[in-house]
């Protein structure tokens, strides 16, 4: 990651984001991620480790981020998202 005030192009940032989103499709369906994270974290909360306040805050933040991604892209088909990513990477 670059530090503030270093030169970076908007195109480079958009290409990196497009590659990230494109890579999500090869791992697993992002639409199910919030549910998976919730299940994992609920299980952790039942353990002694789950009593850690900082860990709880990070878990909630992870779920929120995952939900934001799923909500932002959830209405589009995999093909639409894939095509958009390809267009951005080839621009």
């Amino acid at each position: 990651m670059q530090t503030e005030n270093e030169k970076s192009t908007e195109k480079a940032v958009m290409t990196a984001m497009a590659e990230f989103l494109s890579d999500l499709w090869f791992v697993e369906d992002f639409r199910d991620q919030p549910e998976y994270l919730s299940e994992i974290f609920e299980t952790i909360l039942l353990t002694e480790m789950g009593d850690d306040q900082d860990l709880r805050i990070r878990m909630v933040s992870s779920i929120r981020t995952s939900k934001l991604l799923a909500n932002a892209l959830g209405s589009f088909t995999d093909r639409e998202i894939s095509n958009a990513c390809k267009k951005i990477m080839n621009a």
Side-chain angles (χ1 to χ4, degrees):
M1 179 178 259
Q2 292 185 340
T3 58
E4 288 296 322
N5 299 326
E6 284 188 31
K7 297 287 186 211
S8 179
T9 65
E10 184 177 320
K11 183 179 191 277
V13 173
M14 293 302 293
T15 300
M17 288 300 298
E19 288 173 357
F20 166 72
L21 292 173
S22 181
D23 288 346
L24 281 178
W25 278 237
F26 295 108
V27 176
E28 211 166 314
D29 191 353
F30 70 91
R31 293 167 182 91
D32 295 329
Q33 291 302 313
E35 183 179 326
Y36 295 160
L37 285 173
S38 293
E39 289 174 16
I40 292 166
F41 295 157
E42 286 173 10
T43 302
I44 290 172
L45 290 174
L46 298 175
T47 68
E48 186 176 326
M49 183 189 333
D51 288 337
D52 184 313
Q53 186 67 25
D54 289 333
L55 178 62
R56 287 175 180 247
I57 291 169
R58 288 191 302 266
M59 290 188 308
V60 168
S61 177
S62 294
I63 292 170
R64 183 178 59 237
T65 301
S66 182
K67 283 181 179 179
L68 287 171
L69 176 62
N71 287 338
L73 299 176
S75 63
F76 301 103
T77 66
D78 289 347
R79 178 170 286 192
E80 288 173 319
I81 295 168
S82 178
N83 288 340
C85 289
K86 287 176 188 173
K87 285 180 183 177
I88 291 171
M89 287 187 284
N90 294 327

